[in-house]
Amino acid sequence: MKLKEIIEKLQLKVLAGQDKLDVEVTGGYTSDLLSDVIANSKEGNLWVTLQTHQNIIAVAKLKDLAGIIIVNNREPDEDTLQKANEENVPLIGSEEMAYEVAGKLYELISS
Amino acid sequence: MSNENELSHRFEINGRDFSNAGRASTSIKEILQEIGIDSSIIVRAAIASYEAEMNVVMYARRAVLTLNVTPEKLHLKLEDEGPGIENIDLAMKEGFSTATDEMREMGFGAGMGLPNIKKNADEFEISSTPGKGTTIKITISLDSTENK
């Protein structure tokens, strides 16, 4: 499923990286530990996290993740938004908590 | 890059430089993609170099990371100037970390860095002098997954 469809269906908000929403999402990975995400996420995964600092962009870029969903209505730092735009990494916001976002995402992708 | 069969790149990494953290490993990934290295090897090299780079950013003053690729092997060498590691066996244990609370809040300090580097290497060497710095050398073999 394409990222833009997921954004539409889950009513998520695109915060940065608008140019890369056509990407295919292969699954999701939920974690707030960067080493865990680097080690275990897979290419095309949508990363669900509460981290908002700029270093999440390098992680997404290195693992070719489809994008990052920041949960709980948390606002990414200014330099995170800037990096996401520079590196073309979709940064997406959700009002819901990680449990809900991951649950809905799982259902959507596996259906 | 003088030798046709061998490629070498050198990256400088500065301690506490969170805004450039990930640059060296991203460059390494791009270089490996350009020269057509198998994607499963690139993922391993990217994970290892990212963890090495973040260790420098979090703990050391500065470091030089060198990438060297021959037709058979990929080598990464990280030499840092920093506090060094007192007990390497302990540092290699999954879950052990000396990260500060601030780093942990940022999602670092899971105690997975060095184990992640080792897991993704075919050969792994680490040496450290407390008060001076740490050197890590890893090798990934390109033979097993070579696509002719």
Side-chain angles (χ1 to χ4, degrees):
Chain A
M1 183 176 283
K2 299 258 191 214
L3 179 54
K4 58 182 180 194
E5 280 177 70
I6 293 173
I7 291 168
E8 210 178 278
K9 288 190 171 142
L10 299 187
Q11 293 176 310
L12 302 166
K13 194 163 76 184
V14 180
L15 307 170
Q18 281 89 346
D19 298 343
K20 275 293 277 294
L21 304 183
D22 219 18
V23 66
E24 192 69 28
V25 176
T26 57
Y29 199 79
T30 307
S31 178
D32 301 320
L33 291 176
L34 273 60
S35 281
D36 175 36
V37 179
I38 269 284
N40 300 316
S41 64
K42 299 275 181 285
E43 184 178 343
N45 280 178
L46 197 46
W47 175 17
V48 180
T49 184
L50 53 70
Q51 297 293 354
T52 55
H53 59 84
Q54 59 179 347
N55 297 103
I56 59 175
I57 306 301
V59 171
K61 185 87 184 161
L62 272 171
K63 292 303 299 272
D64 292 312
L65 303 182
I68 307 169
I69 301 184
I70 297 180
V71 298
N72 277 3
N73 228 352
R74 288 166 69 106
E75 280 186 27
D77 304 345
E78 198 49 51
D79 43 18
T80 309
L81 292 168
Q82 202 184 321
K83 272 217 164 99
N85 283 326
E86 278 168 20
E87 303 286 346
N88 266 324
V89 172
L91 205 57
I92 298 148
S94 171
E95 290 173 2
E96 294 176 307
M97 56 180 177
Y99 174 73
E100 288 165 338
V101 175
K104 287 180 184 175
L105 190 60
Y106 182 86
E107 205 169 288
L108 196 59
I109 292 176
S110 47
S111 64
Chain B
M1 291 248 267
S2 52
N3 187 332
E4 213 183 303
N5 290 320
E6 201 173 316
L7 171 145
S8 202
H9 279 270
R10 183 179 182 276
F11 304 90
E12 285 175 17
I13 304 164
N14 289 311
R16 306 300 304 174
D17 185 7
F18 281 94
S19 69
N20 286 306
R23 281 249 158 109
S25 26
T26 306
S27 300
I28 286 172
K29 182 186 159 190
E30 285 165 0
I31 290 165
L32 297 176
Q33 279 172 333
E34 261 169 47
I35 60 171
I37 299 290
D38 189 274
S39 64
S40 64
I41 300 279
I42 296 179
V43 170
R44 291 167 63 197
I47 294 172
S49 55
Y50 178 79
E51 293 289 10
E53 189 177 359
M54 289 319 301
N55 277 349
V56 175
V57 172
M58 287 190 287
Y59 304 111
R61 275 190 300 281
R62 66 178 74 86
V64 172
L65 177 61
T66 316
L67 166 74
N68 184 268
V69 187
T70 70
E72 295 83 29
K73 282 175 177 178
L74 183 159
H75 304 274
L76 283 168
K77 182 166 101 176
L78 181 96
E79 283 173 292
D80 80 28
E81 286 169 39
I85 299 169
E86 295 266 352
N87 184 337
I88 290 179
D89 287 342
L90 193 57
M92 291 304 302
K93 265 202 187 134
E94 196 136 348
F96 177 82
S97 175
T98 56
T100 61
D101 287 348
E102 182 201 6
M103 291 171 192
R104 287 172 204 262
E105 271 170 31
M106 289 171 77
F108 298 112
M112 291 173 72
L114 290 172
N116 270 354
I117 297 174
K118 192 177 179 187
K119 251 181 238 168
N120 286 286
D122 290 315
E123 290 163 44
F124 174 88
E125 269 176 62
I126 181 167
S127 58
S128 188
T129 310
K132 282 198 146 173
T134 302
T135 298
I136 295 173
K137 287 186 209 169
I138 75 156
T139 303
I140 301 176
S141 170
L142 303 177
D143 293 341
S144 54
T145 50
E146 208 169 55
N147 292 333
K148 271 161 269 181

